[in-house]
Amino acid sequence: MTKQIDDLSRFYRFELVHGDHADFIAYQRNLGDGVWQTYSTWMIPGVNGD
């Protein structure tokens, strides 16, 4: 799932990345030509005790 920010959606986005034991939010910037660079990630720990 990718959440783009209204007017800035051409330049920045947040992406939800699923892992085996945690999910991550990736903050990305558009470098042009369809290339997105990840600047930061935040871990969302699993809540089911895994």
Side-chain angles (χ1 to χ4, degrees):
M1 176 179 97
T2 300
K3 170 70 173 155
Q4 295 188 349
I5 305 169
D6 300 330
D7 294 336
L8 298 175
S9 65
R10 293 173 293 163
F11 305 106
Y12 300 96
R13 70 181 182 186
F14 292 95
E15 184 174 3
L16 178 60
V17 181
H18 298 284
D20 290 336
H21 299 289
D23 292 333
F24 298 86
I25 299 291
Y27 176 64
Q28 300 174 329
R29 180 178 177 199
N30 189 345
L31 299 178
D33 294 333
V35 177
W36 290 89
Q37 180 181 20
T38 299
Y39 276 92
S40 184
T41 57
W42 296 273
M43 183 177 74
I44 305 169
V47 293
N48 59 1
D50 289 344

